[in-house]
Amino acid sequence: MFQTSTKEQLSPEAAAELDIELRKVFKVFNGETAVRGVDMNIRRGEFFSILGPSGCGKTTTLRLMAGFEMPSAGEVLIQGQSMNQVPPHRRPVNTVFQSYALFNHLSVSENIAFGLKLKKLKATEVEERVKQALKQVKLEGLANRYPNQLSGGQQQRVALARALVNRPAVILLDEPLGALDFKLRKEMQIELSNLHQDLGLTFVMVTHDQEEALSLSDRIAVMRTGKIEQIGTPTEIYESPRTSFVADFIGEANLLEGRIAAVEASEIQVVTKTGLQIRLEPPSPKEHLSSSQEVVVSVRPEKIRLSYSPPKSTDNCFEGRLKKVMYLGTRVHCLVELFSGDRLTVMLQNTPSKLPDSHTPVYARWATTDCLVLEE
């Protein structure tokens, strides 16, 4: 649980299946380091997301892949070839921007054909490629319309078609759904996932939306202040975060600071700064843990159970009062203040029963398997 290295050890066979590699890449702007020694391997055909808060370096990392920025140090490789001196238009990638960057004075088909005409391809080949790209994004009947006659979702698909028409090895997506309203965004997430599966291309997406990254990605890289905090599958990132930052950024997490009181074969005992005694199963490997070590215990809101009377098991069971109850449709969001002074966020499934009142005495509890010990 305390290992934070994100460098992947790859066999020659596995390395041959990579579309993008970043090797200790740095990018400095006017003395400020935006990307700090990033190592990243993106496999052929996967949907890979770079996730993080504003200013973490995720968009700069994407621009380094696209060639809009050149690394200050390190190396960017695409399909095994160094791209450090290769301009954007000579790289086997295409970028879809949040703003779409469509030409309003050109029709849909003309927008899609724009890059092909710059390459001076034959008119018959341009026409055939545009037709195929329109079919891929299901816009065959809108070829003669103009961008201002299209919905946001249709404009998004035109931008995707314009990228696909060049037959790149990799599609780079810079906050591709950020300009859409909530309902259309959900619809386009499904379309984007289906398109990825149909095409079999490598998609690399930058986003700050955790739910979007979790639902679409094969793997996710979580960035913070220019560095990679963790790379893993959505399940690994959510269920087994390596640091308190990842636990708190991906979804919601209750983080309780404390010290290890005992390390035993079957469990770890942590005493928090407010005196809570928490028991949890040890991570693997255990050799990184020692008594008196400062740690953070993370427990997800949906893992916590509430009861009005003392439960039979006293492990990780703490008395408190409800401070706030919020109805969210499918879920009920509760804020519980323990007698220790700690506040816990609890997420309950909506049921037909009446919502509890604020200030109701409750017991909050969770299993030893439902909490993690993380780095301070």
Side-chain angles (χ1 to χ4, degrees), residues 115-362:
L116 298 179
K117 290 180 178 178
L118 288 180
K119 294 178 180 179
K120 299 186 176 357
L121 296 182
K122 291 181 180 179
T124 53
E125 185 177 355
V126 171
E127 184 180 353
E128 182 58 34
R129 284 212 201 177
V130 170
K131 185 177 179 181
Q132 183 183 15
L134 284 167
K135 185 177 181 181
Q136 286 175 324
V137 298
K138 298 180 176 61
L139 288 177
E140 301 100 311
L142 303 180
N144 296 320
R145 291 197 187 180
Y146 288 83
N148 61 7
Q149 297 174 311
L150 303 176
S151 68
Q154 289 168 335
Q155 290 182 38
Q156 175 69 73
R157 279 185 270 171
V158 175
L160 277 167
R162 189 173 58 184
L164 294 170
V165 79
N166 291 297
R167 297 176 180 170
V170 179
I171 299 287
L172 303 177
L173 303 152
D174 186 8
E175 300 275 5
L177 310 180
L180 305 179
D181 61 52
F182 179 79
K183 184 177 181 181
L184 184 56
R185 188 180 186 119
K186 295 300 179 187
E187 292 174 1
M188 284 303 298
Q189 284 177 10
I190 296 171
E191 289 198 30
L192 200 57
S193 179
N194 291 338
L195 189 61
H196 171 254
Q197 291 178 357
D198 292 343
L199 296 171
L201 296 176
T202 302
F203 279 28
V204 183
M205 180 178 71
V206 157
T207 181
H208 64 272
D209 188 312
Q210 300 96 323
E211 184 178 324
E212 190 167 277
L214 290 169
S215 63
L216 290 173
S217 310
D218 296 312
R219 288 190 304 146
I220 300 169
V222 182
M223 289 192 73
R224 179 191 187 193
T225 60
K227 296 181 179 180
I228 300 292
E229 286 273 313
Q230 186 173 348
I231 295 177
T233 65
T235 301
E236 289 168 346
I237 293 289
Y238 187 82
E239 299 290 349
S240 303
R242 286 180 176 162
T243 67
S244 54
F245 172 81
V246 174
D248 194 38
F249 186 76
I250 304 295
E252 291 185 72
N254 296 288
L255 302 176
L256 303 167
E257 297 179 0
R259 289 181 179 273
I260 293 178
V263 178
E264 300 174 1
S266 59
E267 70 173 23
I268 299 169
Q269 297 177 31
V270 174
V271 177
T272 70
K273 292 181 177 180
T274 57
L276 299 180
Q277 296 186 29
I278 300 174
R279 299 175 182 272
L280 60 158
E281 289 193 350
S284 181
K286 296 191 294 290
E287 57 265 22
H288 293 278
L289 303 176
S290 59
S291 294
S292 300
Q293 186 175 347
E294 291 188 353
V295 294
V296 173
V297 174
S298 170
V299 56
R300 296 287 187 188
E302 70 273 14
K303 304 289 188 182
I304 300 175
R305 300 291 177 263
L306 298 180
S307 60
Y308 299 122
S309 57
K312 293 179 180 179
S313 173
T314 59
D315 286 348
N316 302 331
C317 179
F318 308 103
E319 195 172 356
R321 288 182 180 274
L322 284 172
K323 294 293 290 182
K324 186 178 290 186
V325 180
M326 289 181 286
Y327 177 78
L328 301 178
T330 58
R331 299 167 296 162
V332 178
H333 183 285
C334 301
L335 180 64
V336 177
E337 185 174 87
L338 303 180
F339 289 167
S340 63
D342 295 289
R343 290 194 170 194
L344 300 176
T345 298
V346 182
M347 199 68 70
L348 306 176
Q349 288 297 313
N350 188 12
T351 64
S353 59
K354 180 179 177 295
L355 292 180
D357 297 322
S358 296
H359 306 296
T360 300
V362 292

Side-chain angles (χ1 to χ4, degrees), residues 365-376:
R365 70 187 191 280
W366 60 87
T368 58
T369 55
D370 285 337
C371 51
L372 299 171
V373 61
L374 305 174
E375 291 181 71
E376 176 70 87

